[in-house]
Amino acid sequence: MAVGQTPMQPGLLSSTAGFCEGRLAPNSIYAVLHRECRALFPDEMFVDLFAEDGRRSVPPMIVAVVMVLQRLEGLSDREAVERFAFDVRWKYAAGGLDFDHPGFVHTVLVDMRARLAASARPNRIFERTVEVAAQAGLVGRRRVLDSAPIYDAVATQDTITLIRSAIRGLLRAADHGLRAELRAVISSGDAYSGTAKPAIDWTDAAEREALVDSRARDGYALLAMLEGRSLESGVAEAARLLATVLGQDLEQDGEVFKIARKVARDRVISTVDPEARHGHKTVRRAFDGYKGHVAEDPDSEVITATEVTAGNVGDAEPAAELLADVLQPPAPDERAEDERAEVYGDAAYGTGPLLAELAEADVAVMVKVQAANAPGGRFSKDAFIVDVQAGQVTCPNQVTVPIRPHSDGGGQARFGAVCVTCPLAAQCTTAKNGRVITITPHEEHLAQGRARSADPAWLAVYRATRPKVERKIAHLMRRRHGGRRARVRGRAKIAADFALLAAAVNVARLGMLGIMSAGRGKWAIAAG
């Protein structure tokens, strides 16, 4: 299929431009796309996705506009193509097309997403919005980080459902001959052909335990039969998933397999979407699925980077990828050489490794660090003088002990017997062996961060800037489906969908800021 070309001259009497102009606000997303769509998402931007000859595709610029509006409005593929066919604003946004411009089937959107995913630049629509904002001088070297839960698009499965589903997936992945061999070692009598749970008395603990044991034995028998064999990739992947499910939820009590009385740290919660995880946004707020991470320029409120991780990944882990543009020194032709980058984040980003990386890149750290605390109102770690250079710690009673180093660069300072006779012991510790102060590999950065976070002047700047990203998160998550809840399955697809949503929000923001093409690939902000 060859790349299609967007019509350049709509009909004089049938164009949607004459109807919509004056009826839509000039800074609306429809108006900004109408004015700038050909420069923003030109057909040439997608030429690598298509062959040099063949049947012409739907013009990629039109498809890109539809994809942006679809994500902004939280529509399914069928709803989006229907909106393009009958909503005059959408044809106006696509360059002022004629009222009777032909629509297209929803599989065009499916095909475009697949082509983008297989390309070298899968997020080019989002990247284009950031590039345009940067050329217009809207992207500086200040960043604010935040994340939000993205609920998965599948149901969280219990242990029995997980085991049966994993076995069913293995049988489905095997060819006819291997499937027959696998079925021959199943001893429970379960056909594993449907999703319904076996019919037992679920109020009877003995029956529940027997069910778990029998299905676990089926699973381990299948894995034992496959051990040492050369397997096709699909079968090997299904076997690994089954092994993970069995290992995470079960323990052996004598000769019987039972559900373990603990939750595995990286527990698979669904065989339909094996990458989804249990997550916590706060101590009391749990969710199942993924986290969407963003970096925002707080001055223009343009999203500069996005990332999606499993729900159990800490906020600080993808921060380096989100900040890749400011962790490098600015190009001389982009910004003044003396402009220093700044990074803002709440306490979830106040981890030692990230603080150290920011300091090494000479970034102004505006990241909150959780204050040290101790149970019962006793002396916190901040009441001790930690001298990493000298390798010692001094307690509030002015007793100094050496730091015993660990191989990771951290260590421990043990006060031991001196705590027994210390007059401040009741205010410090109840441990029989005395107070122990743990030193992390990045202790100096954490201590500096805690001191900054208690400074009123620093807090005033922090509170004036960081909340801006929360408003942007609200823009991204304002719709339940397609925002707060994923529309697709798998981290890669969700990441692409989240980046496209960020692109749509960026285009809307650029419209509010008055973005305009200045010719020759340059962009500017309209005066006034």
Side-chain angles (χ1 to χ4, degrees), residues 4 9 46 84 97 112 130 163 165 188 209 254 284 297 317 327 335 342 349 423 434 450 454 462 464 494 497 522:
Q9 295 182 336
F46 304 93
F84 176 73
L97 301 175
M112 177 60 91
V130 179
I163 294 172
S165 180
S188 68
E209 290 176 1
R284 296 184 179 180
D297 182 295
E317 290 189 37
L327 290 179
R335 285 285 175 176
E342 296 178 5
Y349 297 92
R450 287 193 292 269
Y462 172 86
I494 293 173
D497 205 45
K522 302 297 183 182

Side-chain angles (χ1 to χ4, degrees), residues 162-503:
L162 280 171
I163 294 172
R164 294 189 70 255
S165 180
I167 292 175
R168 191 166 58 252
L170 177 58
L171 294 172
R172 188 166 52 243
D175 60 29
H176 180 73
L178 180 58
R179 188 181 305 122
E181 292 183 60
L182 292 171
R183 287 196 175 279
V185 301
I186 293 176
S187 59
S188 68
D190 194 331
Y192 294 103
S193 57
T195 59
K197 287 183 179 180
I200 66 167
D201 181 359
W202 290 95
T203 63
D204 189 323
E207 285 198 42
R208 292 198 307 269
E209 290 176 1
L211 177 65
V212 171
D213 180 64
S214 63
R215 273 44 177 190
R217 290 182 183 281
D218 284 350
Y220 281 115
L222 295 175
L223 294 176
M225 202 202 76
L226 294 176
E227 187 174 359
R229 291 196 180 194
S230 177
L231 304 174
E232 295 181 358
S233 60
V235 178
E237 184 178 346
R240 282 193 296 271
L241 179 58
L242 175 57
T244 299
V245 167
L246 292 171
Q248 72 181 8
D249 280 0
L250 300 177
E251 61 185 8
Q252 198 164 7
D253 183 4
E255 296 296 322
V256 179
F257 289 101
K258 293 185 176 182
I259 296 177
R261 298 186 176 222
K262 60 182 179 179
V263 178
R265 183 177 180 183
D266 197 38
R267 184 176 185 268
V268 173
I269 60 176
S270 171
T271 57
V272 180
D273 189 353
E275 294 179 288
R277 293 292 184 271
H278 293 304
H280 283 85
K281 185 58 180 170
T282 65
V283 174
R284 296 184 179 180
R285 183 182 170 196
F287 65 94
D288 292 335
Y290 298 84
K291 280 184 184 176
H293 306 261
V294 300
E296 178 200 51
D297 182 295
D299 301 309
S300 63
E301 298 186 25
V302 169
I303 299 171
T304 60
T306 67
E307 185 60 77
V308 168
T309 64
N312 61 346
V313 172
D315 285 3
E317 290 189 37
E321 289 78 10
L322 294 170
L323 299 170
D325 56 342
V326 296
L327 290 179
Q328 300 296 326
D333 59 341
E334 291 180 355
R335 285 285 175 176
E337 293 184 5
D338 60 348
E339 184 180 3
R340 190 183 183 197
E342 296 178 5
V343 171
Y344 293 76
D346 60 22
Y349 297 92
T351 63
L354 178 57
L355 295 175
E357 189 166 4
L358 295 177
E360 184 178 352
D362 192 31
V363 172
V365 181
M366 302 298 293
V367 176
K368 207 168 188 180
V369 177
Q370 193 72 41
N373 60 73
R378 298 183 180 89
F379 291 133
S380 70
K381 188 176 183 178
D382 287 342
F384 293 73
I385 301 173
V386 179
D387 190 336
V388 177
Q389 298 302 323
Q392 62 185 28
V393 176
T394 302
C395 77
N397 196 35
Q398 303 307 306
V399 175
T400 300
V401 299
I403 298 173
R404 298 178 182 178
H406 292 168
S407 59
D408 64 356
Q412 284 187 330
R414 295 179 175 273
F415 287 86
V418 299
C419 293
V420 177
T421 58
C422 178
L424 302 178
Q427 299 172 254
C428 187
T429 183
T430 58
K432 290 192 249 183
N433 297 324
R435 184 69 181 262
V436 177
I437 298 296
T438 300
I439 311 301
T440 73
H442 306 289
E443 189 64 38
E444 290 181 295
H445 296 292
L446 290 168
Q448 292 168 7
R450 287 193 292 269
R452 280 193 304 265
S453 300
D455 179 15
W458 185 93
L459 281 172
V461 177
Y462 172 86
R463 289 168 178 164
T465 305
R466 201 207 70 82
K468 292 181 179 181
V469 74
E470 294 179 352
R471 178 165 62 242
K472 192 59 59 176
I473 290 288
H475 293 164
L476 292 166
M477 301 297 172
R478 67 191 181 96
R479 297 188 184 278
R480 178 171 176 80
H481 293 285
R484 181 65 68 190
R485 184 172 294 280
R487 306 186 312 154
V488 289
R489 297 193 293 265
R491 193 184 70 83
K493 290 183 178 180
I494 293 173
D497 205 45
F498 189 63
L500 186 58
L501 176 58

Side-chain angles (χ1 to χ4, degrees), residues 109-162:
L109 297 174
V110 178
D111 178 69
M112 177 60 91
R113 286 196 297 269
R115 290 174 185 270
L116 285 169
S119 73
R121 293 179 56 213
N123 294 329
R124 67 186 69 188
I125 294 177
F126 168 70
E127 292 166 0
R128 178 61 173 161
T129 66
V130 179
E131 176 188 345
V132 166
Q135 289 183 1
L138 295 172
V139 178
R141 289 180 60 76
R142 299 209 302 161
R143 296 289 180 273
V144 190
L145 304 175
D146 205 357
S147 72
I150 301 177
Y151 306 140
D152 56 23
V154 298
T156 300
Q157 298 172 329
D158 59 31
T159 300
I160 282 296
T161 305
L162 280 171

